[in-house]
Structure formats: structure tokens, C-alpha cells
Amino acid sequence: MRPKSVILGERLSFLAMLLLLVLAVLGWNDTVAQAGAAIAVIANGLLIGLFLLATLLVTRMASRGGLVFLAILTVLNLLGFLYQVSEGALAQGLFGVLTSVQAAASLVAVVMLMRPNAMAWYRTMAEVSEA
């Protein structure tokens, strides 16, 4: 049975991915104007796909490597967010609010997935798979 922190971390991670998708749709025209449609599809699809892969590895397969990968993706996401804030480039209005909520949701998700009961579950699942 998965601990509550893993379940909540998974849900928050899926919320962050949903917000990434919404932000991709809202910013589609600007992204296409700057980089082209192919790059926009590849970049957004790759980002969401990597977050999805890492989340599923952690929450369904109890992968510590997946957790490290998800943490790295989250740190890179937060660094990009903080850079936007520091440069005054964070969008105004709904886009800026959703960007902030997405960054917070991804951070809290990783924190929940690193709680002691989640770490104990990862260890237990590793022992079960070795047996």
C-alpha cells in the first residue's frame, strides 16, 4: 500500500503537469512566433513527457533513480521560474499566476515524495523486488 505522501505527491505532480499543458496552450502563439511550431511541440511534449515518466517511475515503481530525476527536473523548473522573477519577465495576469502555481505544485510534490514514510516505502519496495 502506497503511503499518503506518495499519493499526494503523485496528485500534485499530475497537477503541475496539467498546468504545464495549460501554459503550453496559453503561450502557444508566442512560442510558435519565436521558435516555430515544430520546436514548440517538441519542447512542450518533451518537458511534459519527462515529468510524466519521472512521476510514474517514482509513484508506481518506487524508483529512487526516478525520484532523483524528478528532483532534477523540478530544480531546473524552479530555476527557470526564479530567473523569470528576478528579471521581471514573469508574465502578468493569469499566465503568471498559473506559472507560479505550477512551480509551487511541482516543488511540493517532490517534497511529499521525499518524506520519511515515502522513503521507507521505496526501501520496502526495493527489498520486495530483490526477493
Side-chain angles (χ1 to χ4, degrees):
M1 179 98 176
R2 296 184 308 155
K4 288 182 181 181
S5 63
V6 171
I7 294 168
L8 182 57
E10 179 182 51
R11 289 178 182 166
L12 287 169
S13 189
F14 285 145
L15 172 65
M17 283 181 269
L18 176 64
L19 290 173
L20 280 175
L21 182 61
V22 169
L23 289 166
V25 169
L26 290 175
W28 180 257
N29 290 335
D30 291 337
T31 306
V32 169
Q34 290 177 353
I39 299 296
V41 168
I42 292 169
N44 288 314
L46 184 62
L47 181 62
I48 294 168
L50 289 174
F51 268 102
L52 178 63
L53 174 64
T55 299
L56 291 176
L57 283 172
V58 174
T59 62
R60 299 299 170 152
M61 299 181 71
S63 169
R64 290 188 204 163
L67 181 59
V68 170
F69 184 52
L70 184 61
I72 290 169
L73 287 174
T74 301
V75 166
L76 293 174
N77 183 38
L78 290 173
L79 289 174
F81 171 74
L82 292 174
Y83 178 75
Q84 288 178 3
V85 170
S86 71
E87 292 292 316
L90 186 64
Q92 300 295 315
L94 180 62
F95 198 88
V97 170
L98 291 178
T99 302
S100 301
V101 172
Q102 188 279 329
S106 63
L107 175 63
V108 174
V110 169
V111 169
M112 294 306 294
L113 293 169
M114 290 185 173
R115 291 186 47 97
N117 61 345
M119 299 304 277
W121 180 70
Y122 304 141
R123 280 191 298 276
T124 301
M125 293 303 289
E127 291 170 3
V128 168
S129 66
E130 288 176 3

